[in-house]
Amino acid sequence: MKTIWHQVPPENWQHMRDMRKSPSPIEQRLWRALRRHAAGVHFRRQHPIGPFIVDFCAPRNRLVIEVDGDTHGSDEAQQHDKARESFLCEMGFTVIRFANRDVVNNLEGVVGVILDAITPPAPPNEDI
């Protein structure tokens, strides 16, 4: 399945760039760990998929990692997260969510769960 780039709203491109320039300390920590431990798996951070920007993505492995802070606790945010996850699953992605506290308190465990979830890459002609 290919990402349809015209589905990415124009404002998301700049928002994505801004988020890459100013990651949260939690995202920085997980990014460093992924780069250190996920040899051979290419992760992108703040990657657009359709109308959404995901925290981390291994596009060829069809894996999305979301790190949720306190703002994800409201009913509205949870509904948005469900719709987002449903869309991503329909696009063929596996979505794994972690709370910020998981990354802070158990980084090695988080990385282990991510590495266990990595599936063989999709065929090379599928570009996301």
Side-chain angles (χ1 to χ4, degrees):
M1 251 181 206
K2 291 187 174 208
T3 294
I4 302 171
W5 294 110
H6 72 273
Q7 286 183 340
V8 178
E11 63 274 8
N12 277 12
W13 293 106
Q14 186 59 48
H15 186 56
M16 173 191 68
R17 287 182 196 100
D18 292 343
M19 289 190 311
R20 282 184 185 160
K21 289 178 188 174
S22 302
S24 74
I26 306 292
E27 289 173 341
Q28 285 178 330
R29 186 172 187 189
L30 182 54
W31 179 243
R32 284 192 301 269
L34 288 174
R35 291 175 57 111
R36 200 171 47 245
H37 295 293
V41 178
H42 177 75
F43 279 93
R44 295 178 182 172
R45 54 192 178 99
Q46 305 305 331
H47 181 67
I49 301 175
F52 301 106
I53 299 172
V54 300
D55 292 334
F56 300 96
C57 181
R60 293 204 57 221
N61 301 85
R62 311 303 285 182
L63 180 64
V64 168
I65 310 301
E66 290 290 313
V67 181
D68 297 340
D70 294 337
T71 60
H72 290 264
S74 72
D75 289 341
E76 183 180 330
Q78 288 179 3
Q79 287 176 339
H80 176 74
D81 288 344
K82 279 185 182 180
R84 170 188 181 102
E85 192 165 329
S86 177
F87 173 85
L88 293 168
C89 289
E90 286 175 21
M91 294 290 292
F93 288 90
T94 298
V95 179
I96 302 175
R97 301 188 96 74
F98 297 99
N100 280 353
R101 69 182 170 279
D102 296 330
V103 176
V104 170
N105 296 328
N106 187 15
L107 181 61
E108 292 304 315
V110 167
V111 171
V113 169
I114 293 168
L115 295 178
D116 287 346
I118 291 174
T119 57
N125 64 349
E126 294 192 30
D127 188 18
I128 300 174

